[in-house]
Amino acid sequence: MGVKDKVNNFYKLLTHPKVVKFSCISATIVWISSVVLAILIGQLDPAGPPSDPAGFNILINYISDLGNLDLTPMPIIIDFGMMQTSILMVPVSFYLRKVLIGDRSKKLRKLLGNLTLLCMLIAMCGLFLTGVISEDVGGKLDSIIGPPFPNYFWHDIVADFAFIFFMVSGILVASQFIIFPDILEQQIGMKQTITIRVLLAINSWILTPIFFTFFYTVPYLWYTDAFWTFLPLWQWAPFWEWLLMFSLSAWILLVSNLLLIKSLNREMTNK
């Protein structure tokens, strides 16, 4: 068996309906449970450093703070969740490309489908490395070998890759659902396609870019005693980061668990 045959067999295994369905469900369970559990465990965080209140607060604590020993007794929970979710989403991404391209031979459709897959894979690499290079690990790297760019640290770089390319992937998927209506109607078998298109477009085209813009333009703020009193909510960078994460998770979970599983069930039934 040649290399090409081995690659083709691996691709068939990767996009097998049972493998993809397991990955869809598992990724959802792992991601949601790891975030919820990490937040709950974070409530065991004692007061300190000096200006850090006890417990974890999504309004003033960044998502990555769940991977910081100063702010949670078990940073491994969110780190493991990021790494495991990214791995489980690989088969989902390849199957999504298959659904987006369909049986058509249009160059634009293939181009957009392949571009979506590329962005998803880059985003997954960023998410995986965000779990590996957590706040603690990234801080050590910065102190030992220095940041790769001035004032742009290791952890921030990999997290930015995840945020940016997940956002671009969502925009691409929502756009393809509108440009090629048969994806939802024929490939997936959905009936209420207008509702899905509108919801995805609002989330991916409007909400996610707004949250992204605010998060990356609001100055980085650490906790101060005056934090709660004198700063308006729109200047709380962690608040916007959490909204960005929720909006990105929304389109990924909607597509992978509602749309793709429906397509997978149809494919398994027809075999």
Side-chain angles (χ1 to χ4, degrees), residues 6 88 107:
K6 291 181 180 179
L88 288 167
K107 292 183 178 180

Side-chain angles (χ1 to χ4, degrees), residues 138-156:
K140 294 295 183 183
L141 282 176
D142 295 331
S143 63
I144 295 172
I145 63 176
F149 303 101
N151 297 318
Y152 197 18
F153 306 106
W154 285 103
H155 175 79
D156 295 338

Side-chain angles (χ1 to χ4, degrees), residues 23 61 70 76-77 83 94 114 157 182 184 241 261 269:
S23 298
N61 287 110
D70 290 338
I76 188 61
I77 294 176
M83 290 186 284
F94 276 93
N114 289 329
I157 290 175
D182 66 284
L184 284 173
E241 185 188 34
I261 285 184
T269 301

Side-chain angles (χ1 to χ4, degrees), residues 17 29 33 52 67 82 209 238:
I29 294 173
S33 61
D52 171 31
M82 291 179 178

Side-chain angles (χ1 to χ4, degrees), residues 191-213:
K191 295 182 179 179
Q192 302 298 327
T193 58
I194 295 179
T195 302
I196 294 173
R197 290 192 185 98
V198 170
L199 289 176
L200 279 175
I202 291 174
N203 183 71
S204 298
W205 291 356
I206 301 174
L207 295 181
T208 301
I210 288 175
F211 300 153
F212 178 88
T213 301

Side-chain angles (χ1 to χ4, degrees), residues 122-123 125-127 152 156-166 216:
I122 295 175
C125 287
L127 182 62
Y152 197 18
D156 295 338
I157 290 175
V158 294
D160 287 350
F161 266 91
F163 277 136
I164 292 171
F165 283 95
F166 273 130
Y216 281 95

Side-chain angles (χ1 to χ4, degrees), residues 118-140:
L118 177 63
C119 290
M120 287 290 289
L121 293 179
I122 295 175
M124 248 85 74
C125 287
L127 182 62
F128 183 87
L129 290 174
T130 303
V132 175
I133 309 176
S134 61
E135 277 193 355
D136 287 339
V137 175
K140 294 295 183 183

